[in-house]
Amino acid sequence: MKTLVIDCRMIAMSGIGRYISELLPFIIAELGKDVVLLGKKDELKQYNNKIIEFDAPIYTIQEQINYRKIIPKSKLFWSPHFNIPLAPIKSEKRITTIHDVYHLAFYKELSIFQKIYAKIVINEALSKSDKIVTVSKFSKNEILTYTNNKYKDKIEVIYNGVSEYQFDKITATPKNDIFEIEQYPYFLFVGNIKPHKNLENALRAYIIFIENLPENIKKPHFKIVGKREGFINGNNMQLGNLINENPIIKNLVDFTGFVSDLKLKELYSQALALVFPSKYEGFGLPLLEAMKYKCPVLASNIPPIKEICVDSALYFDPNSIEDISKKINNIYSSKQLRDNLINKGYSKYKEFSWEHSAKKHLNILMDLL
C-alpha cells in the first residue's frame, strides 16, 4: 500500500499548477518513494516517484469514471482542487484543497451543467474529505457561507508562498545584458480572462487615463502576460470587441504570449505597477510576485487582496472604471507613491514562503497518516 497519492494533472497550469509544483518537492523530500503522482508523465518526469498516466480533463464524466480505476490502494489521496472523485476509491482517507468558491459566489453566471457540477462536487468534497485546506481566511468564510457551517473545524487556512529562483540574485539593471530594458514605461496585468478577473474594466480605465494625458507626454503601454488568442476568443465577447476595435488598445496594449519565469521577473521589475483588478480571488499569487520584484501593486479593494497586501497596495473599486483610472493616474504621476508601495511590498512579501506553507501541509498530511 502506498502512503500518499496526489492528483497532479493541473501542474502545468497557472495558479493551482504553481501551488502543486511548489509544494511537491517538499512533500516528496519528506515521504520519498511512498508518494504516487497522477498525471502526464512528460510533465512529471523530473520526479523519481511512481507516475500513473492520467490525462482525463477536469470537470468531466471521463475523469469520474477513471478515478476509481486509476487511484491505487493507499492511505491518503490528495485533490489539490475541488474536482474530487465522487465514487468510493481505494484510499483510506482524503484531503482536498479548495482555493475559492467562485463557482458558488458567481452561481448565476454559470451554465446549467456548471451549476449542477459545482454545487454537488464542492459539497461532496467537504463531506468526503477528512481535511480541507484553503488559502485565505476570506476563502474559509466563503466556503462556510455557501455550504454549511458544520465543516468549520475541518477547514484549515494555509497561505500560499512566493517562489524562490536561482536567478533571484540577478539584478535587473541596464548593465546586465540578461535583461532587455524596455524603451517605454508600462503597466502590467498578469492573469487570465475569466470574467471575475475584470480585465475589461481595467482596460476601459486605462483608455480614459491615456485620453486625459497631454499630447506631448510619452504614453505608457499596458502589457498583458498571456497568449493574445486567449484574449480575443471565447465567451467574453465584450472584451474581445474592445481589444479588436479600440485604437488605443491596438497601439498601446502589448500581449507578451507565454513568458519564462526569468522574463516575468524582468516584466515585474521594470513595470510602473501591477494592475490587479479582480472582483473575486482566493489569494492572488501575482500580488506577492510583484512585491518581491519591487513592482508597485495597484489592486481591487476586495477582502482577500486586503488580507494579503494590507497597506502594501493602492486600492480601487473594481466596479468603478473612473476610480481605477484615477488610481492609475495617481501611481503614474507620483514616484514618491510608487517608491512607498515598493518599500512596503518588499517587506510584506517576506511574510509568505512556500517552505512555510509546505511545513503546514506536511503537518496535516502526517496527522492524517
Side-chain angles (χ1 to χ4, degrees), residues 84-273:
I84 66 154
L86 296 176
I89 55 174
K90 297 188 284 283
S91 191
E92 294 176 1
K93 294 182 179 179
R94 302 185 187 203
I95 177 173
T96 302
T97 303
I98 301 177
H99 298 263
D100 60 58
V101 285
Y102 164 78
H103 292 79
L104 300 183
F106 287 76
Y107 194 70
K108 293 180 180 178
E109 298 182 10
L110 305 180
S111 68
I112 295 296
F113 172 78
Q114 288 173 324
K115 287 179 179 179
I116 295 171
Y117 182 93
K119 196 84 169 178
I120 292 173
V121 179
I122 291 175
N123 278 280
E124 284 294 295
L126 288 159
S127 174
K128 293 181 182 296
S129 300
D130 296 275
K131 197 73 176 179
I132 297 289
V133 171
T134 194
V135 295
S136 62
K137 294 174 184 175
F138 170 78
S139 278
K140 178 174 180 176
N141 290 335
E142 286 285 277
I143 291 169
L144 296 174
T145 296
Y146 288 103
T147 58
N148 194 307
N149 201 60
K150 69 182 180 182
Y151 299 119
K152 182 178 180 180
D153 295 335
K154 189 184 280 193
I155 303 170
E156 182 156 347
V157 174
I158 304 178
Y159 288 132
N160 290 325
V162 61
S163 303
E164 299 292 337
Y165 301 112
Q166 289 182 343
F167 58 71
D168 281 343
K169 295 179 181 178
I170 299 170
T171 303
T173 68
K175 294 180 182 179
N176 195 324
D177 60 7
I178 290 177
F179 291 94
E180 178 186 343
I181 304 303
E182 300 293 342
Q183 300 302 308
Y184 45 79
Y186 61 89
F187 292 95
L188 185 67
F189 174 91
V190 178
N192 58 53
I193 60 163
K194 293 177 182 177
H196 68 282
K197 295 294 185 179
N198 201 28
L199 177 60
E200 182 182 347
N201 274 5
L203 287 176
R204 292 191 183 280
Y206 169 74
I207 290 168
I208 293 172
F209 160 73
I210 291 293
E211 289 174 340
N212 288 329
L213 284 178
E215 284 296 322
N216 60 339
I217 295 291
K218 192 173 185 178
K219 306 298 188 292
H221 285 221
F222 193 111
K223 285 186 179 291
I224 298 173
V225 175
K227 294 180 180 179
R228 179 174 170 80
E229 290 74 18
F231 289 87
I232 62 175
N233 297 326
N235 297 325
N236 199 338
M237 295 304 297
Q238 282 187 309
L239 178 59
N241 291 338
L242 178 66
I243 290 170
N244 286 322
E245 296 172 5
N246 188 279
I248 290 176
I249 300 294
K250 286 184 177 181
N251 294 327
L252 296 177
V253 173
D254 308 318
F255 294 85
T256 68
F258 171 81
V259 299
S260 66
D261 289 331
L262 182 58
K263 177 65 177 177
L264 186 58
K265 173 185 176 176
E266 173 200 333
L267 289 170
Y268 278 128
S269 62
Q270 296 181 34
L272 285 165

